[in-house]
Amino acid sequence: MKNNIFLTGFMGCGKTTVGRVLAQRLGWSFVDLDQVIVDRAGASIKEIFASEGEQAFRAFESAALVEVASRPSQVVSTGGGAVIASENRAAMRASGRIVNLTASVETIAARVTGDSERPLLAADASVERISSMLEGRERFYADADLRIDTTGKTVEAVASEVLDSLKGFL
């Protein structure tokens, strides 16, 4: 049985941080999909975007996701845009549960400000830009088994909420 947990959500919503805690509590592997892509490409995400463009990055992302999804008992932190492709959502759903982490626009802005490794916000991490991107992705983020708002919550509290909500699945 493929019992993975895929964490989706916008940049700065806590996917990697919460994912590490979840994996530790479950005794599962933690996989940061962006890190898998970086390791395979031999370049940072920022460099991939700059040299090959977003479309090439998304192709790397989909290939990595399919490979990762083939293994069981993992908590997988996906990139913020991974859910946009329907085939990515299908791959996640076929091998586990999709948990979407959300946060207020102000919380996201505070968390990502000054992070130069986020190519889609490098030039503009304003509340307006984040709001616009969130609005464009909302229907993809909403296509999840569970949604949890991380605003004002500790990492431990969010991890506990995920585990409590997925008890029957795990």
Side-chain angles (χ1 to χ4, degrees):
M1 178 173 126
K2 293 188 178 128
N3 55 343
N4 297 308
I5 296 173
F6 294 92
L7 298 177
T8 68
F10 199 74
M11 297 170 253
C13 285
K15 300 178 299 287
T16 300
T17 310
V18 170
R20 289 185 201 285
V21 172
L22 281 171
Q24 184 179 17
R25 287 194 191 175
L26 290 165
W28 289 4
S29 301
F30 172 73
V31 178
D32 181 331
L33 195 62
D34 282 349
Q35 190 60 52
V36 171
I37 296 163
V38 166
D39 292 346
R40 298 251 161 76
S44 72
I45 291 170
K46 185 178 178 179
E47 291 166 341
I48 296 167
F49 266 76
S51 65
E52 301 185 50
E54 184 174 1
Q55 190 173 353
F57 172 78
R58 296 296 173 203
F60 286 134
E61 184 174 58
S62 293
L65 181 60
V66 167
E67 182 187 322
V68 166
S70 70
R71 300 186 297 258
S73 303
Q74 304 170 107
V75 176
V76 181
S77 169
T78 65
V83 296
I84 294 170
S86 61
E87 63 269 18
N88 289 352
R89 294 191 310 278
M92 289 186 277
R93 189 154 275 120
S95 65
R97 295 290 187 265
I98 302 171
V99 177
N100 175 247
L101 300 182
T102 66
S104 71
V105 174
E106 294 76 17
T107 297
I108 292 168
R111 290 177 182 170
V112 302
T113 296
D115 186 345
S116 64
E117 289 303 311
R118 299 178 190 270
L120 292 178
L121 289 179
D124 181 8
S126 68
V127 169
E128 293 78 16
R129 170 84 171 128
I130 292 167
S131 292
S132 173
M133 288 181 71
L134 277 170
E135 193 174 304
R137 293 178 178 182
E138 173 56 27
R139 66 187 170 117
F140 307 117
Y141 288 146
D143 186 14
D145 299 300
L146 173 66
R147 297 188 86 186
I148 295 176
D149 187 347
T150 65
T151 305
K153 296 177 184 171
T154 65
V155 172
E156 291 75 18
V158 174
S160 293
E161 197 172 334
V162 171
L163 292 174
D164 290 346
S165 297
L166 294 179
K167 243 181 205 135
F169 167 72
L170 304 173

